[in-house]
Amino acid sequence: MRKIISLLLFTTTLLVACNTSILSISEMDTVPSDVHIKVDPHYKLQLITDVEDAAYIVYQSNGTVSTDLLTEGDTLKVKLQEKNKKANVLKQYVYKLTLDAEHEVINVIINGKSVPFDNVASL
């Protein structure tokens, strides 16, 4: 009986772990060279996709940027909020986005408004 319960507990844990989302976003301090080559400084918002389940969002802002991730069906919403804007200071923010297979659409929302990518590239 004890073995059966242990086996059921192990199987349940394994199934839950397989179903766990890997969805995440993190700011990159060091940008990989293959990503850096693809970045075009003339564009404000860029998406660079990787062959694996990752993408890079490049955003140029003259303020401090905070991020948040939301999901809605097959849409992944990346929320960027700008604060403390300075007129002559432009900073490039690069975020690594780890994706789930179930998300087919990436929607970037900057300061509450949906914004299209200026450039989309792949590695």
Side-chain angles (χ1 to χ4, degrees):
M1 184 68 168
R2 186 178 250 175
K3 288 182 182 182
I4 293 173
I5 292 175
S6 296
L7 183 60
L8 285 173
L9 183 60
F10 174 76
T11 304
T12 304
T13 304
L14 183 63
L15 289 174
V16 169
C18 290
N19 232 0
T20 303
S21 175
I22 58 169
L23 190 63
S24 67
I25 189 168
S26 58
E27 186 174 353
M28 303 289 295
D29 293 327
T30 305
V31 180
S33 61
D34 56 342
V35 173
H36 184 72
I37 291 170
K38 296 286 185 172
V39 173
D40 187 332
H42 297 100
Y43 294 119
K44 187 171 183 174
L45 181 62
Q46 299 174 69
L47 177 68
I48 301 170
T49 59
D50 197 345
V51 292
E52 297 178 8
D53 292 336
Y56 296 88
I57 294 177
V58 181
Y59 182 60
Q60 297 193 54
S61 173
N62 58 353
T64 305
V65 178
S66 61
T67 62
D68 193 16
L69 277 181
L70 300 170
T71 59
E72 189 174 290
D74 67 347
T75 302
L76 175 63
K77 294 183 178 182
V78 179
K79 295 177 85 176
L80 303 177
Q81 188 69 38
E82 292 178 300
K83 297 178 183 174
N84 306 323
K85 290 186 175 186
K86 297 178 183 173
N88 296 330
V89 180
L90 191 64
K91 181 179 177 189
Q92 187 177 82
Y93 293 87
V94 179
Y95 301 99
K96 182 176 183 180
L97 190 59
T98 306
L99 304 168
D100 283 341
E102 65 191 66
H103 298 105
E104 297 180 15
V105 178
I106 299 174
N107 182 14
V108 177
I109 301 167
I110 301 172
N111 297 331
K113 295 181 182 177
S114 182
V115 178
F117 289 104
D118 299 316
N119 186 39
V120 178
S122 62
L123 296 178

